[in-house]
């Protein structure tokens, strides 16, 4: 059994990791920590785990983590991984970091969008971006995984195939993204109160969201061009799920079948990407509580436009599910273990 | 007092008309009809009206309508107005039709998108498109108003000023629209069941929705160019409200202030369009249960893109509120009577 | 015009008061104050009021309030009225306090349930409990109104008639109450986050809620007996509305008609209590955004039980609507002015 | 592997059975049928199953069911099991019926509350009521399981221990039940439309709901007294989950610890009943998507009342989860296989 530690166990991603790992055949949760007033059993913090796990969650202590764990998931607020990652790597542990701290290769861009100072630049170079559909081989050998953001996971999976194909204009990509509220993390702030979100809907951080440079970095990487998308996130009154509708201008006319084939071929061996048949479009209810990314393409040959729709569960494929998928790849387990 | 008839009183638009007109100083509801098993008091059909109105709703009878009403609102399913409008006009009544039947000037386009045969072509020419911000003078004298669709109201108000200004590419307009469920009408179908919509979100009728040609017709009219937008509606798990995020490519670089000024000037005298200050974007909760359309502009000078966000209540400015606004204009009442 | 001040203008009750008073013929909002970082226009704080009111909201200053207002609504957290009420009364102003501070005549009970010290005992005696259906005459002459709590308003209106009739056991009253989230006030706490409340439902403060002694005080008063109810509030995933299902044991068998007649007679002249006909029960959607309290009775003659169901909007009849109803009574306006 | 057939595969309970059984180690889905226009792959009907199961769902054919299945789940509307159960039993198949058709031992009561004629009285006697906490031994040997209703499951588990103890008055039991919408089945009717349920809440079938006699039958059985409860269901605007708040009058004073001990002892070996510690009460979010029933007791020694709160997922412990629990017991699998 692989011994697992989770830091940030009381956030949404941490809670989801516990839920997934309790069903995993080859992993056992050995250590739980979080910013917490006093140590408490995790099944008291989350009564839903009562009868399923009996383990105390404490403030993190490095020597205990090292003594008890083979692999550590970090589900911490941004910048908090910097003090821990170098020590865990030095102690020979493998680390999957769910924060943004090791995702952006361009440090000034990180510092601009997250409005903080980066304090572990060396390890950024070693970190592997944990999107299995593009970096599976690198993930196998990685010591440090930068687990992708929720919005970027859907945006990259939905955009890369057609961008690589060269069919679309590179300077005219509009990503209209809608996310459930758990994507914002467990934070008691006014904007996330029930009465503010329920029966409401809004755009926020129009073209300035911190996930935009992550999308641009990866799309630029796979397409070998400088990609600058337009990215507008919206807050949906649902607990879970992200749906993105992405608008492209075709360089020349193409038809539905042609573009659909590009996607079907691109993902034909992927266990967690489902390209939908013509005439169907994704919806949240088909992907929530699963690790799937559903994708559909809609071509208008006359207007020369392409509209791609993609949906994921922000806590599964968009965070903890993908993190466990990465763990499975790193350790040679079946890639879908614990995830279906 | 103006005597009002409402046909289709039991649908969402009809119910909303009753609610608005009960607060109107110069109008009284004189006649209510709907497709109904047997006549019933409207306050029994809608217990929320108990104590506020005491009037029986029946199957429509033309002679009664003509005897009792000065102005008739038709809030009927598409094609059902054809049999009634000519007779009401002949009897000298003014008619505000909330269906799509008289909106599209191009009959074959109507027949293609609504998949029905048009049975009153003559009156299409006489009908005035009831968007006061663009047709106020024509509305004053109109006998027949084609009250705009909910999606088109927001899309046209949000797009027309910048399109007229000539700043944006005409062949690259993407309208990402999200609507609450009452926009679909009161129909017991599987897709609108609570458990299908709640905690769900999806795109539907991608680039084939019947409101797209209405948007294109009006934008072509105001801009004197042939406009073909891309229009993707989505179903939001809320009762009321539409928010549209509209993506444009700028012909040449422009800045935020420049575009904002265009909108502020365009709507400066309009009682129901609020152009938001820089840095603010609309949200549903600021417009639901009101007749306002809130609009914000977001320019990215470097990427040369413009993102306009607009929000309305689909049952007020998107249907019954706008219908009463039109009635007020037709009869010389204060334009906001009953609406604030 | 009556000049109105609102203290606590940024809470839910304050926001609702503004919304109601903007439609009131004989009152104008002259002063707005709240605990606020810096003075700001209320239409900037609540964009929904843009175009409807142009008034700065500041920290409260007593001399300004006295100079500008004839009547002051206090919509403040508990205990904060103590420092203001005596001064306003001394200055000859009429005060409607929406907090619990002047509702409980028994000071130790107040201090036990609110876990604070009462600092204005003298004015408790002078305060009139602002439930018009029971204290209309006293309200006319009152200088200080203790506006009822939301749960008590529904519970008292639903229980008093049958309790006065003597038909039910006094020691076996179970009030199962369910409230929308705005009832908890505008507070950024974990329990009221969207993801905690949405798709969730729970009981809280079982038989220890601070509204229970208020219900007991009033029911004891009207029935001339010592009433101790059992009161269990629950948190509903909706923005607005309270529905209470109240269980009684009949002393002797009675039938539906007999009990229904008691209620119909009791409330026959009341403008805002609607007793439903046999076979109908209230639902939130018929009362939200209105000042009505809907009540239905369900008798089981065989089991000798009575089940009363009542519904109100917690921000209208349960708070600000009732406060304006009280204002209307105090000043001789039509009781429903601004409320329908 | 146990070969499973599901009839009624397209309803909520059927869909949930598929989801559970796809994770079950010892069972495989061999046959799916439903009332359906034309045969279709289940992963086309439910896109969420795409990639997880590849099986056509057809109209049921008896010979195929018998050829392919060892055990059959019937998730059909009431009365539709009558034509199938006798034939399946005769063919030696074991049957778990999720409808109410075999639950009520008193045929006239069934016919009164379901307003239909019972057409298979013989098998009612042989059917075992599938509530494992009370009938585990009988379930092991059963050929036909009458799987309990959702409301009764929570009500019986929450009420039986204290009723058996003799501490409470038998003629004064009030069950205030609240259910998510999936409890009503997948039916396109007006009352279950999104806009009717969302932001709404109501009581329905007050003291006449068809689950009441089922509760009374079982509580009478375990307590050896004639129990007539008062049962009021309410419709919650959530997809899943039932919470019941049950009110009792104590015969004599008792304290919290005493009653809590009764429950803790009663369920101490049960894998799916969790009795909460003092001061905690259940909430939906701790039980949805699980097979647990959470129960808490609240004693008021002074008022001599007991308030028990219980929560389940209506589709798991309230239907398909409990059905699989019964299957596991019948076949000697671990009782929680597929359920955690």
């Amino acid at each position: 059994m692989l011994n697992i530690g989770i830091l940030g166990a009381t956030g949404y991603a941490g809670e989801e990791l516990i839920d997934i790992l309790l069903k995993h055949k080859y992993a056992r949760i050995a250590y739980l920590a979080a910013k917490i007033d006093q140590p408490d059993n995790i099944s008291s913090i989350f009564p839903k785990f009562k009868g399923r796990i009996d383990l105390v969650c404490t403030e993190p202590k490095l020597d205990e983590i090292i003594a008890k764990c083979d692999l550590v998931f970090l589900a911490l607020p941004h910048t908090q991984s910097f003090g821990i990652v170098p020590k865990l790597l030095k102690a020979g542990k493998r680390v999957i970091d769910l924060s943004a701290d090791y995702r952006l290769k361009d440090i000034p861009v990180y510092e601009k969008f997250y409005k903080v100072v980066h304090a572990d630049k060396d390890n950024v170079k070693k970190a592997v971006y944990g999107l299995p559909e593009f970096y599976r081989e690198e993930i196998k050998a990685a010591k440090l995984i930068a687990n992708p953001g929720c919005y970027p996971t859907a945006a990259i999976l939905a955009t890369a195939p057609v961008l690589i194909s060269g069919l679309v204009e590179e300077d005219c990509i509009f990503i209209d993204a809608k996310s459930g509220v758990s994507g914002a993390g467990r934070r008691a702030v006014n904007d996330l109160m029930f009465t503010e979100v329920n029966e409401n809907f809004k755009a926020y951080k129009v073209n300035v969201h911190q996930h935009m440079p992550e999308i641009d970095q990866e799309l630029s990487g796979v397409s070998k061009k400088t990609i600058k998308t337009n990215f507008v996130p919206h807050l949906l009154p649902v607990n879970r799920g992200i749906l993105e509708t992405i608008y492209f201008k075709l360089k020349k006319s193409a038809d539905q079948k042609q573009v659909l084939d590009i996607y079907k071929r691109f993902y034909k061996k992927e266990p967690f990407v489902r390209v939908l048949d013509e005439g169907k479009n994704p919806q949240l209810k088909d992907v929530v509580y699963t690790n799937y990314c559903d994708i559909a393409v809609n071509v208008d040959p006359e207007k020369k436009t392409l509209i791609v729709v993609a949906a994921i569960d922000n806590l599964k494929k968009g965070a903890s599910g993908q993190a466990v998928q990465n763990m499975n790849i790193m350790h040679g387990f079946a890639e879908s273990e614990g995830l279906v």
Side-chain angles (χ1 to χ4, degrees), chain A residues 251-311:
Chain A
K251 286 181 182 167
K252 53 181 184 178
S253 196
D255 68 12
Q256 176 74 24
K257 189 182 172 311
Q258 187 181 349
V259 179
L260 188 56
D261 280 353
I262 290 170
Y263 279 80
K264 290 241 176 192
R265 274 201 309 272
F266 200 94
Y267 291 121
K268 75 172 171 228
K269 291 186 180 166
E270 285 302 330
F272 289 119
V273 179
R274 301 187 294 201
V275 179
L276 305 191
D277 292 336
E278 186 170 349
K280 303 200 172 178
N281 272 293
Q283 47 186 335
L284 289 191
K285 76 188 185 88
D286 293 332
V287 297
V288 288
Y289 298 99
T290 84
N291 200 49
Y292 290 105
C293 176
D294 281 2
I295 300 177
V297 302
N298 303 269
V299 176
D300 191 317
E302 206 183 315
K303 293 177 188 165
K304 296 205 288 176
T305 54
L306 165 65
I307 301 169
V308 179
V309 184

Side-chain angles (χ1 to χ4, degrees), chain A residues 3-23:
Chain A
N3 287 301
I4 303 297
I6 301 172
L7 274 57
T10 57
Y12 288 120
E15 181 184 354
E16 192 73 22
L17 279 168
I18 296 170
D19 203 53
I20 296 170
L21 292 170
L22 285 174
K23 297 170 200 154

Side-chain angles (χ1 to χ4, degrees), chain A residues 50-74:
Chain A
K50 191 173 168 169
R52 296 181 61 201
I53 179 171
D54 181 19
L55 190 63
V56 171
C57 178
T58 60
E59 289 276 337
K61 284 173 206 144
L62 191 68
D63 52 350
E64 282 194 41
I65 303 172
I66 290 171
K68 292 183 175 170
C69 306
D70 304 312
L71 181 149
V72 181
F73 290 98
L74 302 183

Side-chain angles (χ1 to χ4, degrees), chain A residues 8 17 66 88 97 111 124-125 134 150 181 197 226 314 323:
Chain A
L17 279 168
I66 290 171
L88 291 175
D97 180 29
E111 297 188 331
V124 169
K125 291 164 207 147
F134 290 87
C150 50
V181 183
V197 175
T226 301
N314 58 300

Side-chain angles (χ1 to χ4, degrees), chain A residues 26-39:
Chain A
Y26 311 116
R28 60 179 282 278
I29 300 171
Y31 186 81
L32 295 173
K35 199 168 170 53
I36 198 171
D37 288 338
Q38 52 183 56

